[in-house]
Each structure stands twice: as structure tokens, then as C-alpha cells.
Amino acid sequence: MNHHTMSHRRPVRIGHLAAFTALALAVAACTVGTGNDNPDTTPDDDADTTAVEEGEATGAGGTVQVVTHDSFHVSEDLISQFESDSGYTLSFSAPGDGGALVNQLILTKDAPLGDVAYGIDNSFASRGIAENVFSPYTSAALPPAAEDYLIDGGNELTPIDVGDVCLNIDTAWYAEAGIAEPSDLADLTGPDYADHVVVTNPATSSPGLAFLLATVAEFGDGWTQYWQDLADNGLLVVDSWSTAYSEEFSGSVGQGPRPVALSYSTSPAFEVGPDGEDPTTTAMLASCFRQVEYAGVLAGADNPEGAEAFIDFLLSDAVQADIPGQMYMYPVNHDLELPQEWTQWAPLAEEPLTVDPAEIDENRQDWIQAWTDIVIG
């Protein structure tokens, strides 16, 4: 990430605490790891205890310093269970969002901040790898489907979760206004959608950067003209996700004036009514940029064995099932059952927009500067 400060990725929206709690409980109910009391599932004891058994064999113990982005959350009971089973004690620090995290890891690579890092996404992964921040590690717990997310097929970073940054649409607003909902990015430059869109600044917001990358992927060399057309059509730019979604967007708690806001494909699942009413928002799946978050053992770690055990822990069934309700992301293990609300209202895009991580690393700063010149002036 550049040296701009990024916003929190997805703060919990207080107005949706009930829906969030219900979804978290539903995720916990389908956990297939240790402690699952669902009679219809059988825990994989060998998979869940491998790291613990290996730790015992090598005299595991001591503190594992975990460096994360500031939206990291795993249920406390899972943390406690890991510490009890493994003999390690986890200590957490969070220097900022995913971009700030990578910056700090690079600046301190000769005296690393910890043993293991979580939260580096594909917008910044190549930069960390190029700076030799991480030590190679291949976890035996990595599910086969996750191998598609490895950076250039390497093992410096382990994929943990995935999600899509997408424009969200207030379907009720469009129905009441008698205007057809926009179906793709190009629609939003038309006169029917003047003053409809709010996005976040890619220099100050992780979703904002992801959406900028989505337009690069969609329009190629024409991405700058697309942003000029959006700006001419009444685009609103704000600094943080919470301002865009919770204040300016008409479809969420703020009931703002704009019916199209940048958020996540998972957001509609948190707009389900208190009595189970269908949400009146949807994600524009044609606008989605696929975000992958990684963990890695830090080069020069004091406790590399503990770092590896923590990565195995993040890939365990229990933690993977915990991720949707805690961090609004999809587990990298696609075989786990998800809550109905999640599968119905929070789909991943079938054909997400992507940019090669190496290309992102080479052009990120220039793209942000070009965007700033066009949109901010």
C-alpha cells in the first residue's frame, strides 16, 4: 500500500447488530471442527489435531506475535481453544488496514514486528513478497480449491479468505422512482443515473482501491475516460466505507440520497429485516473485484513454529466457518456449509474482475495519482 492511511474495511453496523448476531450464530452452528455438537456432521479429528500433535512433538510453547489489519476478528472461544490445545499464547497488534500493515512489515523487516501476519490482500501481496518480508510455508491444511489463490504459485503467502468489493444497489429506491436498476458499470455514466453513485477514495480506502482496480480490469486503457464520465455525471467521493454505505447510501441505516454505493457482495445479507424480510438492496455482481486475504510467516520470526501453527489454525474448519460472521468474508475452504442468509443474499461473483498482483504492484501508485488528477483535480 502507499503511505496514505486507509479506512477500516468493514466496521460492524450497529443498526444491524441483530442480523449480524443471528448470522454469526448460524455460522457457528455449521462449524465442523472441534466442539461441534451437530449430530449430522463428523469432525475430522486428524485434521484438527495435526498442528497440536506436531507442536507437542517439537516442544511447542511461548508467545506467538500476530500482526493483523485492524478488521481482524476471530471468536474468543476459538482463540482460547487454540492456546489450550497448542500451548502457544497469542499476542495481537494491528498497525492499520491491509495497506498500512504491508507498509509496516516492509519498514520493519530487519526487526520484524512479530512472527506471523494476517490481512495482506492481493492488492499488496506482490509488494511484500518482493521485499522478502515472508518465509516460505506450505500448510498441510490448505484446501485444494485455495491453491488457485496462491501468488504466482508460490508459498510465501497462504490464502485465508476471499470476498468481492462491489457496487450495491437500493432496489426499492429504483422501484419507487420507476427507473430501471443499473446492470453494469457502463450504465452509471448515463443521464438516468446522474448523482446516483457514491464511492470511496482509492487513496484513503481499501474498497476504493479495489473498485479502481475493477475499472482497470473492465475498461483497460479506457478506465481514465470512464472515471471522467462518472465524475461528469455527479459522482460523489468520500474517504471511508462507513460514510459511503452507512450515511450516503439510501439503502442502509443512514437512508442517504444516493441509491448506488460502493461496498461488498456480502452487504445485502446484513440488510435482512428483523423479522426475516428480504433485503431491498443487491450487489451489482458485474462490478465486483475479487479480494483475497493472506497470512504469512515473517522472515526472522522469533517463533516460526508458532507462526506456522497459527496459519494452520486459520485454515481449520472451526475458524473458516467463523470468518463470515466475524469478518464478512468467505472462507477459502469452499466445502464448508454457509448460513442460508449468506448463500441467498451474499453471493460471490461468478466472473469477478481481477488484475494480476504483479501488475497492481507495478502500477498502483500511478493509477491512484491518475485517478486523483481526474476525479479530485
Side-chain angles (χ1 to χ4, degrees):
M1 172 162 299
N2 56 50
H3 293 280
H4 297 282
T5 301
M6 290 287 193
S7 62
H8 288 234
R9 185 179 65 210
R10 297 180 287 281
V12 177
R13 301 186 286 283
I14 300 300
H16 304 146
L17 185 57
F20 176 87
T21 302
L23 183 57
L25 290 173
V27 173
C30 72
T31 298
V32 293
T34 303
N36 177 29
D37 57 5
N38 184 345
D40 296 326
T41 60
T42 302
D44 186 348
D45 292 330
D46 291 337
D48 282 344
T49 60
T50 298
V52 176
E53 292 170 353
E54 289 178 353
E56 291 171 349
T58 57
T63 297
V64 182
Q65 299 286 346
V66 183
V67 190
T68 75
H69 61 43
D70 52 13
S71 295
F72 173 78
H73 297 285
V74 170
S75 293
E76 287 293 334
D77 61 333
L78 296 180
I79 297 290
S80 297
Q81 189 67 50
F82 170 78
E83 292 180 325
S84 175
D85 289 347
S86 70
Y88 293 114
T89 299
L90 299 179
S91 177
F92 294 90
S93 62
D97 88 332
L101 170 62
V102 172
N103 272 343
Q104 289 300 308
L105 295 178
I106 291 171
L107 290 172
T108 60
K109 65 180 181 179
D110 293 330
L113 295 174
D115 301 303
V116 60
Y118 161 82
I120 305 95
D121 72 19
N122 49 316
S123 298
F124 298 97
S126 290
R127 185 179 176 200
I129 292 171
E131 293 284 349
N132 299 312
V133 169
F134 306 104
S135 293
Y137 174 61
T138 300
S139 173
L142 185 70
E147 294 178 4
D148 292 341
Y149 300 124
L150 294 173
I151 304 296
D152 296 329
N155 61 352
E156 292 89 350
L157 287 169
T158 301
I160 303 299
D161 54 60
V162 300
D164 286 341
V165 175
C166 317
L167 293 172
N168 277 224
I169 298 169
D170 182 352
T171 56
W173 189 98
Y174 282 103
E176 184 175 346
I179 301 172
E181 299 170 15
S183 60
D184 58 28
L185 292 173
D187 283 349
L188 298 173
T189 63
D192 285 348
Y193 305 103
D195 303 321
H196 284 202
V197 182
V198 55
V199 301
T200 50
N201 189 324
T204 60
S205 159
S206 294
L209 177 57
F211 185 58
L212 169 58
L213 296 175
T215 63
V216 171
E218 177 71 7
F219 298 107
D221 292 342
W223 75 267
T224 53
Q225 184 59 55
Y226 177 73
W227 280 100
Q228 184 64 66
D229 294 342
L230 270 185
D232 291 343
N233 208 36
L235 175 72
L236 176 64
V237 177
V238 296
D239 282 340
S240 71
W241 170 87
S242 58
T243 300
Y245 190 84
S246 299
E247 297 180 21
E248 296 293 340
F249 184 40
S250 60
S252 189
V253 292
Q255 298 183 336
R258 302 230 165 198
V260 180
L262 183 62
S263 192
Y264 288 78
S265 69
T266 54
S267 297
F270 295 91
E271 301 297 344
V272 174
D275 296 319
E277 302 94 338
D278 291 352
T280 57
T281 67
T282 189
M284 182 194 288
L285 297 183
S287 71
C288 294
F289 182 83
R290 177 64 45 82
Q291 195 174 50
V292 184
E293 293 187 316
Y294 298 87
V297 178
L298 294 176
D302 289 335
N303 193 345
E305 294 84 4
E308 293 173 358
F310 181 74
I311 291 175
D312 295 344
F313 167 66
L314 292 178
L315 290 171
S316 68
D317 287 342
V319 174
Q320 288 284 293
D322 194 51
I323 283 172
Q326 294 293 328
M327 293 192 285
Y328 299 9
M329 298 288 278
Y330 269 81
V332 77
N333 185 344
H334 298 166
D335 293 333
L336 292 178
E337 183 180 357
L338 295 168
Q340 180 181 351
E341 294 91 340
W342 197 264
T343 55
Q344 185 174 5
W345 304 115
L348 286 169
E350 292 185 4
E351 298 181 0
L353 298 166
T354 61
V355 179
D356 183 82
E359 185 180 358
I360 295 172
D361 195 49
E362 181 179 354
N363 295 285
R364 182 190 309 106
Q365 197 61 43
D366 290 341
W367 286 339
I368 291 174
Q369 187 59 56
W371 181 94
T372 301
D373 293 342
I374 294 166
V375 178
I376 306 298

